[in-house]
Amino acid sequence: MTNNFSPWAAAQFTLLDQSWTRSMALVEQLGPVGLERPLSPSWTVKEMLAHLAFREKTSVPVITSIFRGEPEVPVEEWYGGTDLELGPNDPWPDPDTHNAREARWARSRSASEVLARWQQAREKLKSILATVTEEESRGPIGTEWSGDSVCRHIEGHLRQVEALLQ
């Protein structure tokens, strides 16, 4: 990736790179067995990582289709889990429905598979953020979608993992 991206995108990369470094240190500290530890009543650390992968990967079609008006990307071309469990006319699920589905997906996967999916999602997120112009960052991409919210979303989860390790 070159340095021809907007200052807004550069700020998002900083957030993403810092959180990745911190995440990988925590993953290393936990080890594969530790990733199976409950993080909350709803999910384990590994299941939360699958949630992060989904959230980051879905940023690509949100930016391209919703905010840029490009043709909608068929779900089967961008979704990295098994299946969105949506019928043809079903409305987009709420976050809890997505989180439960991602947790189910992660349960039957190895820690390395979940981490690989998250790494791939992170790379896709960074690739699309690299294309966001300064003008776009002052519009709906920077205000409604807000990379800050996606790029900062991990912070609360990292604090949960750090508390688990204390």
Side-chain angles (χ1 to χ4, degrees):
M1 201 173 294
T2 66
N3 290 344
N4 295 334
F5 36 81
S6 70
W8 178 87
Q12 305 314 304
F13 292 147
T14 298
L15 291 172
L16 290 169
D17 292 343
Q18 289 171 347
S19 68
W20 188 260
T21 299
R22 197 165 143 213
S23 298
M24 292 304 103
L26 291 169
V27 165
E28 177 84 18
Q29 198 173 349
L30 284 165
V33 173
L35 293 178
E36 300 291 346
R37 289 176 64 181
L39 188 59
S40 74
S42 304
W43 54 19
T44 65
V45 175
K46 183 175 75 171
E47 292 164 355
M48 179 271 299
L49 296 176
H51 151 78
L52 291 172
F54 175 77
R55 186 172 171 102
E56 291 181 13
K57 192 155 187 180
T58 58
S59 297
V60 175
V62 167
I63 289 173
T64 59
S65 299
I66 295 174
F67 292 114
R68 290 185 173 157
E70 295 173 13
E72 192 170 316
V73 177
V75 170
E76 56 275 3
E77 289 182 25
W78 60 262
Y79 181 61
T82 51
D83 167 352
L84 276 175
E85 302 172 0
L86 289 174
N89 296 314
D90 290 347
W92 189 250
D94 64 21
D96 290 337
T97 301
H98 285 300
N99 291 343
R101 184 196 59 248
E102 295 308 303
R104 282 192 306 277
W105 177 86
R107 276 183 213 120
S108 64
R109 302 308 193 282
S110 69
S112 61
E113 186 176 355
V114 172
L115 287 167
R117 179 171 167 235
W118 185 28
Q119 182 175 13
Q120 178 193 42
R122 177 65 59 106
E123 289 168 10
K124 287 187 178 293
L125 173 59
K126 289 177 85 171
S127 292
I128 194 68
L129 291 178
T131 70
V132 174
T133 66
E134 193 60 26
E135 181 180 350
E136 286 178 315
S137 75
R138 289 188 299 271
I141 291 173
T143 58
E144 290 175 36
W145 172 80
S146 185
D148 282 345
S149 71
V150 171
C151 297
R152 290 183 192 279
H153 176 78
I154 189 174
E155 283 303 311
H157 294 304
L158 291 178
R159 285 191 296 276
Q160 286 178 301
V161 175
E162 288 165 341
L164 182 68
L165 290 169
Q166 294 178 359

